[in-house]
Amino acid sequence: MTQAEIKLCSLLLQEHFGEIVGKIGVHLIRTGSQPLRVIAHDTGTSLDQVKKALCVLIQHNLVSYQVHKRGVVEYEAQCSRVLRMLRYPRYIYTTKTLYSDTGELIVEELLLNGKLTMSAVVKKVADRLTETMEDGKTMDYAEVSNTFVRLADTHFVQRCPSVPTTENSDPGPPPPAPTLVINEKDMYLVPKLSLIGKGKRRRSSDEDAAGEPKAKRPKHTTDNKEPIPDDGIYWQANLDRFHQHFRDQAIVSAVANRMDQTSSEIVRTMLRMSEITTSSSAPFTQPLSSNEIFRSLPVGYNISKQVLDQYLTLLADDPLEFVGKSGDSGGGMYVINLHKALASLATATLESVVQERFGSRCARIFRLVLQKKHLEQKQVEDFAMIPAKEAKDMLYKMLSENFMSLQEIPKTPDHAPSRTFYLYTVNILSAARMLLHRCYKSIANLIERRQFETKENKRLLEKSQRVEAIIASMQATGAEEAQLQEIEEMITAPERQQLETLKRNVNKLDASEIQVDETIFLLESYIECTTKRQ
């Protein structure tokens, strides 16, 4: 756990959950697993506040607990899960593109609340969608429920582990903490619910004005209610499935850039066919026959079987080896080499960073050393056709920035410089780790800058919000255009310009965060698959 990661976790926790939860979370990240009273003592926080903070963190899967032999419960922070909060906007946007607004709001509710029952999600989403619709239109629960089922079928949402239901045969005291279990078969099994109803608007019709106070009304309705049919069955967003989708999209995009759109569509079809049958950590997809791929191509792609076979042969013969041939049955069996694809994407990212930071000549040297594995300085000068002085400066620059490493091979045991070969090499794994660390630092800086910009213009933002609220309430009561114009003029022209600049700067910082996170995702995926292989 590096300092950059701890700082980034601290910023994310404080931004999402506030100061107290952030303080407890960062303390656990720094110290490792600890019992409740030790956390309260070390952080100087009251026991009640620590309990509430831990409840929030456990609800969002950011902290796990474990019961030791002596019956002491220890809490441990999941740092990698905290860093996933960076990707929340991307998860939500992906669901929007795949399952429209309904899917977007389902995933957004699950990410905001950590865990929710299906019935609670359906009702919340239906209410939110009804709010945005025209008067007189409402969102049916059944429609939201169908989208939820589709998300579960494609594994984008999954059940949370729960306390096993056992008969009360054991008269002994209850355990200090419950043990949560989940059967893999039930992980994506949606309970059969008959949710009948429509979304409701907050400002309800004439009943609110005429009837009794709002606080009292729910009591009459909830007392005689039947128990919730899916009580105890909680759902959460399956982040690994989203990561699998991001990885597949990156592979398809890389194939499109290297070859053409038809090749990328063939690869997309192969990935889509094996997205549920292949685990996210598998090195290869399941073998698919040429005939199966042909039958599964999108309807609009009118390519013959012969042309498809030519494309598959071309993909299999490509030096990057994204697609491999695993057999000849069924017109040829093909797989996608996921680990090799991730290694190629990580290497391309490193090459791009070298080119942006040090220029095209350094990138040429970097690619040359990658290709030849080990080279002496003189060989680099000759192969790259760069003058000795310049090549030496460039090699030392990349060496000092840890993009390259130097390997010594002595001829004699005394390691005398005159009798030692000095070979330059690129260790992609260590370079990827170094770049990942820098990405974490970059994101932390971007968040701090965004917070600074917002804090500096806090007074102006509050004034703008007040004016907008006044205008909205006046429009609701049917105010005249002249009155609205007068309220709008409360914000002067220089202030309006300052607000525009702030908005533009914050949007740039947000976009930069998302772009850096894309690089983080590629590097993390490569490091994870490489360390698993080793």
Side-chain angles (χ1 to χ4, degrees), residues 217-259:
R217 275 177 53 221
K219 288 185 183 176
H220 302 305
T221 54
T222 52
D223 280 346
N224 304 320
K225 257 190 183 176
E226 294 177 10
I228 302 165
D230 63 339
D231 193 23
I233 303 173
Y234 286 89
W235 292 81
Q236 62 188 359
N238 183 4
L239 304 189
D240 287 340
R241 177 67 185 86
F242 278 100
H243 293 168
Q244 192 180 332
H245 179 75
F246 297 155
R247 179 202 65 197
D248 293 353
Q249 291 297 98
I251 291 170
V252 169
S253 177
V255 171
N257 290 337
R258 185 167 176 82
M259 293 188 176

Side-chain angles (χ1 to χ4, degrees), residues 364-380:
R364 193 197 309 170
I365 291 172
F366 186 80
R367 278 193 289 269
L368 180 69
V369 176
L370 260 177
Q371 190 182 358
K372 301 285 185 183
K373 309 293 185 197
H374 295 88
L375 286 177
E376 285 188 279
Q377 188 179 309
K378 183 74 174 72
Q379 289 174 308
V380 171

Side-chain angles (χ1 to χ4, degrees), residues 320-370:
L320 287 181
E321 297 178 30
F322 277 26
V323 175
K325 193 169 183 180
S326 62
D328 294 316
S329 58
M333 301 293 284
Y334 294 91
V335 295
I336 292 177
N337 191 333
L338 301 169
H339 283 186
K340 273 196 177 174
L342 284 171
S344 298
L345 291 168
T347 307
T349 303
L350 286 168
E351 286 177 17
S352 172
V353 171
V354 168
Q355 179 145 346
E356 292 299 320
R357 286 198 66 177
F358 308 115
S360 57
R361 285 182 152 198
C362 273
R364 193 197 309 170
I365 291 172
F366 186 80
R367 278 193 289 269
L368 180 69
V369 176
L370 260 177

Side-chain angles (χ1 to χ4, degrees), residues 326-505:
S326 62
D328 294 316
S329 58
M333 301 293 284
Y334 294 91
V335 295
I336 292 177
N337 191 333
L338 301 169
H339 283 186
K340 273 196 177 174
L342 284 171
S344 298
L345 291 168
T347 307
T349 303
L350 286 168
E351 286 177 17
S352 172
V353 171
V354 168
Q355 179 145 346
E356 292 299 320
R357 286 198 66 177
F358 308 115
S360 57
R361 285 182 152 198
C362 273
R364 193 197 309 170
I365 291 172
F366 186 80
R367 278 193 289 269
L368 180 69
V369 176
L370 260 177
Q371 190 182 358
K372 301 285 185 183
K373 309 293 185 197
H374 295 88
L375 286 177
E376 285 188 279
Q377 188 179 309
K378 183 74 174 72
Q379 289 174 308
V380 171
E381 294 160 15
D382 294 342
F383 283 132
M385 294 183 287
I386 293 172
K389 188 173 182 298
E390 285 182 39
K392 185 180 177 181
D393 285 348
M394 288 172 187
L395 283 166
Y396 285 179
K397 200 183 286 181
M398 286 189 280
L399 187 66
S400 65
E401 295 278 352
N402 296 323
F403 283 99
M404 279 194 186
S405 52
L406 197 60
Q407 192 172 345
E408 295 181 13
I409 302 177
K411 291 180 188 174
T412 53
D414 60 353
H415 283 261
S418 58
R419 292 185 294 279
T420 302
F421 292 113
Y422 293 96
L423 302 178
Y424 287 94
T425 184
V426 175
N427 185 335
I428 298 173
L429 188 60
S430 65
R433 283 197 173 113
M434 176 272 298
L435 190 58
L436 182 62
H437 176 71
R438 287 190 178 179
C439 286
Y440 287 140
K441 285 178 83 170
S442 300
I443 290 238
N445 291 342
L446 286 165
I447 292 171
E448 284 187 325
R449 182 70 203 179
R450 176 163 49 77
Q451 289 175 348
F452 172 78
E453 289 277 349
T454 313
K455 194 178 175 183
E456 282 290 293
N457 296 280
K458 190 180 177 184
R459 185 197 61 80
L460 189 58
L461 285 167
E462 285 174 356
K463 184 181 176 181
S464 169
Q465 284 167 358
R466 279 200 305 272
V467 169
E468 282 172 12
I470 292 166
I471 290 169
S473 64
M474 287 178 76
Q475 281 174 338
T477 53
E480 292 177 11
E481 193 64 39
Q483 290 175 306
L484 295 174
Q485 189 70 31
E486 194 178 326
I487 299 296
E488 280 178 10
E489 284 170 4
M490 286 171 68
I491 297 177
T492 61
E495 284 178 332
R496 206 172 290 281
Q497 194 175 350
Q498 198 175 338
L499 277 168
E500 283 297 317
T501 309
L502 172 67
K503 191 178 176 182
R504 196 164 55 248
N505 289 345

Side-chain angles (χ1 to χ4, degrees), residues 6 65 155 162 181 210 225 231 239 256 264 266 315 341 343 359 398-399 425 500 528:
I6 293 170
Y65 58 83
H155 298 185
S162 56
V181 292
K225 257 190 183 176
D231 193 23
L239 304 189
S264 71
I266 292 166
L315 284 162
M398 286 189 280
L399 187 66
T425 184
E500 283 297 317
E528 189 183 342

